[in-house]
Amino acid sequence: MTRLAFTLFASAMSLAVPAAMAETLMFTNSNLVSLPSTQVIGAGGSACVNPFGNVAGTCGAALTFGTSAGTLRVTAADGPDVDTAALVFQGNSNAGLGVVEGYYKSGQFKVTDGNFSLDTDKETLTLTFGSAVKLTQAYFFADDRTNTLRELDSIDGFTVSVNGGAFQEFSFGTNGGLPVTLGGGLVGTSFTFGYAKFKSKEDYYLAGIGFTALTPAIPEPSTYALMALGLVGVAAAARRARRA
């Protein structure tokens, strides 16, 4: 294979399989506490106001967001007790995502929760992507959002389950408001965030995530054309070599 033919072929193949790109998605409407300035992409739901306080935002059976890995659907659960229903909550005051406990009566959701953060063993948030991703980082706000630097530290923890598997526990680290690195990355389509099991328990909102989509995009027609050109070049080089 000549150098030119090889170059054409290699270029076509590199474009046919695009490199995975890291993405940061924030669930807040501000870059409070050194969070990236990336804003929430989109959500659907209805107004949600805590009857026991002044926390307000959007909540629904599911909130959806657009990402490079397809639609991200976020849901909440309240565990197997009397009030099994829960809504996922997105605060309008930089609170990120939380869980609203309650029950349905006459077609309406009745709130029984005095704290919209993820604050009990039974509350969970599940993030389901349209295709596989490597989840590498997570951002958090403490329940006391003005005190995140001191509320969430290395002795406090949270858990994550991948694709419904066993929960893994992580520390919030020593830099409140900065991203928590999830080991070498968690690979899957569904990630469930829960309360600490062995570390000190601390209420939290999920403020954002860092991830890489693992499914490459479908090549554009122009890419296929370049691949064809590269293959033609390889064939021509082979013919010339046979004649020599």
Side-chain angles (χ1 to χ4, degrees):
M1 183 184 297
T2 66
R3 180 175 299 180
L4 175 59
F6 179 80
T7 300
L8 287 170
F9 181 74
S11 298
M13 293 306 296
S14 66
L15 288 174
V17 184
M21 296 293 291
E23 181 175 344
T24 299
L25 173 64
M26 305 309 299
F27 303 117
T28 64
N29 55 16
S30 169
N31 61 346
L32 186 64
V33 198
S34 299
L35 290 173
S37 58
T38 307
Q39 303 300 301
V40 63
I41 293 179
S46 58
C48 193
V49 179
N50 187 340
F52 307 99
N54 59 3
V55 178
T58 298
C59 63
L63 299 181
T64 57
F65 305 85
T67 78
S68 59
T71 298
L72 167 61
R73 186 172 186 266
V74 185
T75 56
D78 184 22
D81 60 4
V82 177
D83 298 335
T84 57
L87 301 180
V88 58
F89 170 75
Q90 180 178 309
N92 60 9
S93 300
N94 314 314
L97 299 179
V99 178
V100 179
E101 297 179 20
Y103 61 95
Y104 285 96
K105 182 178 181 180
S106 301
Q108 292 188 331
F109 188 84
K110 306 294 183 179
V111 176
T112 61
D113 202 345
N115 186 334
F116 286 178
S117 67
L118 203 157
D119 64 326
T120 71
D121 291 323
K122 61 185 181 178
E123 291 184 348
T124 57
L125 282 171
T126 298
L127 282 61
T128 304
F129 289 85
S131 61
V133 303
K134 176 184 281 189
L135 191 66
T136 55
Q137 294 181 319
Y139 295 79
F140 301 93
F141 279 133
D143 180 36
D144 178 3
R145 298 184 301 282
T146 63
N147 197 26
T148 294
L149 291 172
R150 294 189 294 273
E151 285 284 318
L152 304 180
D153 57 31
S154 58
I155 67 172
D156 305 318
F158 63 96
T159 55
V160 184
S161 165
V162 180
N163 293 343
F167 279 88
Q168 305 175 50
E169 189 157 27
F170 298 90
S171 166
F172 286 112
T174 58
N175 299 311
L178 298 180
V180 175
T181 300
L182 302 174
L186 307 176
V187 176
T189 57
S190 178
F191 305 89
T192 299
F193 285 78
Y195 217 41
K197 293 187 179 298
F198 302 104
K199 296 183 180 296
S200 176
K201 300 178 185 299
E202 189 65 56
D203 303 348
Y204 68 84
Y205 293 97
L206 180 60
I209 52 174
F211 63 92
T212 300
L214 298 182
T215 303
I218 298 174
E220 296 291 333
S222 59
T223 301
Y224 284 119
L226 183 56
M227 289 177 63
L229 178 63
L231 292 173
V232 169
V234 171
R239 285 196 299 270
R240 286 195 297 271
R242 284 196 297 269
R243 296 194 190 103

